[in-house]
Amino acid sequence: MQDMEVNEKKTAVWQLHELSDRMVTYNAGDPKRIQHLIKVHYFARMIGLSEGLDTATQLILEATAIVHDIGIRISEKKYGVCDGKHQEQEGPAEARKLLTEMGTFSEAQIERICWLVGHHHTYDCIEGMDYQILVEADFLVNIYEDNLPVEAVRKVREKIFKTKAGLSLLDRMYL
């Protein structure tokens, strides 16, 4: 049983590595987006591990963090904007393509990842630890990248953050 768990973790590590590499290629020439996805991924990883997610949920969380903004390029091309609404609209189909091409994610995993990509800018009914942590990780990065004032950070803390690990990171980084 323990050997199977170790092999599962090794497989997950390689899946995430390959997915990250594919997203770097997808965003080639755009270091800001590449750096963003790497930072969101790592904060999601940190929070998920600190919160004790099971291996399956951790994999979905990290994979989603890597592809969460995959809808930006197509939104810019189709609509001339990359706002959250259009990212959520266009991102799932792009994520599905990439994840299916990899051939290492199950249909159930792809469904959940695409659902999360399609909701990662919707904050009024967050359900599931993977969803909560993804939103927190994205905020941790966006607060810095958008240079939000302290009062805005306090509001985000009050309205969005729920996990002990996410709150701790937010407080140590910004408050």
Side-chain angles (χ1 to χ4, degrees):
M1 187 64 148
Q2 195 173 13
D3 286 344
M4 200 164 83
E5 213 173 283
V6 169
N7 286 336
E8 255 181 54
K9 286 181 182 177
K10 282 183 184 176
T11 302
V13 167
W14 283 104
Q15 276 181 283
L16 295 169
H17 171 74
E18 183 179 344
L19 183 58
S20 297
D21 191 58
R22 286 174 183 242
M23 280 302 294
V24 168
T25 299
Y26 185 87
N27 288 306
D30 194 341
K32 182 177 179 181
R33 286 199 188 124
I34 293 166
Q35 298 239 348
H36 179 82
L37 78 87
I38 289 168
K39 290 184 281 188
V40 172
H41 170 236
Y42 204 79
F43 282 128
R45 177 176 172 71
M46 286 177 71
I47 297 168
L49 291 172
S50 293
E51 293 293 322
L53 293 185
D54 62 83
T55 305
T57 306
Q58 184 75 27
L59 175 61
I60 287 170
L61 167 64
E62 290 190 48
T64 306
I66 292 166
V67 301
H68 77 284
D69 280 343
I70 198 167
I72 288 177
R73 284 182 48 212
I74 197 160
S75 294
E76 288 174 334
K77 189 175 182 181
K78 276 178 128 173
Y79 311 107
V81 295
C82 65
D83 60 280
K85 176 185 171 239
H86 286 101
Q87 285 181 48
E88 288 182 338
Q89 183 179 319
E90 299 298 332
E94 284 293 287
R96 176 173 297 284
K97 254 191 282 185
L98 183 69
L99 295 164
T100 302
E101 283 172 10
M102 278 184 64
T104 58
F105 289 92
S106 72
E107 186 55 35
Q109 290 170 322
I110 292 171
E111 282 300 316
R112 182 62 178 170
I113 293 165
C114 289
W115 188 88
L116 289 166
V117 168
H119 291 83
H120 80 279
H121 284 288
T122 302
Y123 312 124
D124 58 350
C125 59
I126 294 173
E127 52 191 60
M129 283 297 281
D130 50 2
Y131 190 178
Q132 180 65 45
I133 293 168
L134 175 65
V135 168
E136 290 180 11
D138 201 19
F139 264 104
L140 286 171
V141 177
N142 286 333
I143 288 167
Y144 175 75
E145 291 178 350
D146 297 341
N147 198 26
L148 291 185
V150 172
E151 194 49 46
V153 176
R154 284 193 179 102
K155 284 182 184 171
V156 166
R157 185 188 196 285
E158 179 185 315
K159 293 181 185 296
I160 301 294
F161 280 70
K162 305 276 186 268
T163 68
K164 185 177 178 181
L167 284 162
S168 175
L169 281 167
L170 180 75
D171 289 348
R172 288 183 286 158
M173 290 171 65
Y174 301 111
L175 299 175

